[in-house]
Amino acid sequence: MADDLTEIHERVRWCRNQILFMGAEIELYMLNGAYLVSSEVDVGGRTHLSVQLGKPIPASIRITAGSVAHELRATLDSLACVLAARNGQTADNVYFPVSKSAAIFAADGQKKITKLSVADKATIASLNPYAEGNPMLFALHETDLMRKHRRLVLTSAGVSHFALTGGTIVSPIIKFEGPLTHVKQTIMSYEGGFNMQGNLAIDVSFAEPKFLVGRPLIAVLNDFANLVQAIVELFD
């Protein structure tokens, strides 16, 4: 590990620890009424299995998620500043570029790393740091930009596995990626008597960007941390 990157690595480790703690908090929230499952029988004798939001996601989870995303994105900017110092330059107006498109990166993003060595600029360019070239890096960038307004939701509700005894399924099992609300949303309908056992695949997720919707929050933040660590290690 390069001496001038010691603090950079420490910041990534801090983020990993926060993700770990948040994972435990999310698990506790899920076990204590995050969502409610109910069944109702209509006039035709069909039973409808529904799910709805039980209680709001704790603000502490949202705050931690935003803080981790921000710290990881800021770590990349700090990396760019270290690289400028290696090249004998000041860190003024030096940032790690992430752009909406390749054209914007070529026209504007490159300006943020003019103080870096030719080799380091080429390494950063090889990461394709723009939306279509590196979707996960761009998602991290967007998540940081919008952290003050970032919403977390319960998403991806559906039956991940089930076992039936008797009865007939009237409607297929529905998997929806929209957020759970206090309004009941039907997962499946059936008629006749039977016993069912199954798990609902519900988790906390970023509400946007679309690239991240439906993916478990902890998995996304760990992917962000892995990405940033991999980028830093290119310069060790």
Side-chain angles (χ1 to χ4, degrees), residues 3-4 6 12 58 123 127 131 152-153 168 173 178 182 189 205 214 229:
D3 290 342
D4 57 359
T6 298
V12 176
T123 298
L127 295 170
L152 298 179
V153 293
T168 302
I173 294 172
H182 292 291
S189 301
S205 164
Q229 181 172 335

Side-chain angles (χ1 to χ4, degrees), residues 65-166:
S67 297
V68 168
H70 171 67
E71 183 63 19
L72 288 170
R73 179 63 183 92
T75 295
L76 290 177
D77 284 335
S78 295
L79 170 64
C81 292
V82 169
L83 298 178
R86 285 184 182 181
N87 198 39
Q89 302 292 319
T90 67
D92 295 342
N93 299 315
V94 175
Y95 304 94
F96 192 98
V98 181
S99 306
K100 288 186 178 181
S101 67
I104 293 175
F105 171 68
D108 180 64
Q110 294 275 15
K111 296 177 182 178
K112 299 176 180 179
I113 52 175
T114 55
K115 293 184 178 181
L116 276 58
S117 69
V118 172
D120 288 344
K121 285 189 285 189
T123 298
I124 290 176
S126 72
L127 295 170
N128 299 322
Y130 40 87
E132 66 270 30
N134 200 324
M136 201 63 186
L137 179 58
F138 186 72
L140 170 60
H141 178 69
E142 286 289 284
T143 299
D144 176 46
L145 287 179
M146 301 181 67
R147 68 184 183 280
K148 292 182 180 179
H149 309 288
R150 181 65 58 199
R151 292 187 303 113
L152 298 179
V153 293
L154 289 183
T155 61
S156 298
V159 180
S160 58
H161 80 271
F162 62 97
L164 302 178
T165 303

Side-chain angles (χ1 to χ4, degrees), residues 18-35 55 57-58 60-62 64-65 152-154 202-206 215-219 221:
Q18 297 306 307
I19 295 169
L20 184 63
F21 298 146
M22 185 170 53
E25 186 176 5
I26 289 175
E27 183 176 356
L28 185 63
Y29 163 63
M30 299 296 283
L31 290 173
N32 287 278
Y35 60 92
K55 60 182 181 180
I57 298 171
S60 57
I61 294 176
R62 175 178 54 80
T64 302
L152 298 179
V153 293
L154 289 183
I202 298 177
D203 214 321
V204 178
S205 164
F206 283 121
R215 295 193 58 202
L217 177 64
I218 295 300
L221 291 176

Side-chain angles (χ1 to χ4, degrees), residues 163-167 193-196:
L164 302 178
T165 303
F194 68 77
N195 295 319
M196 182 185 75

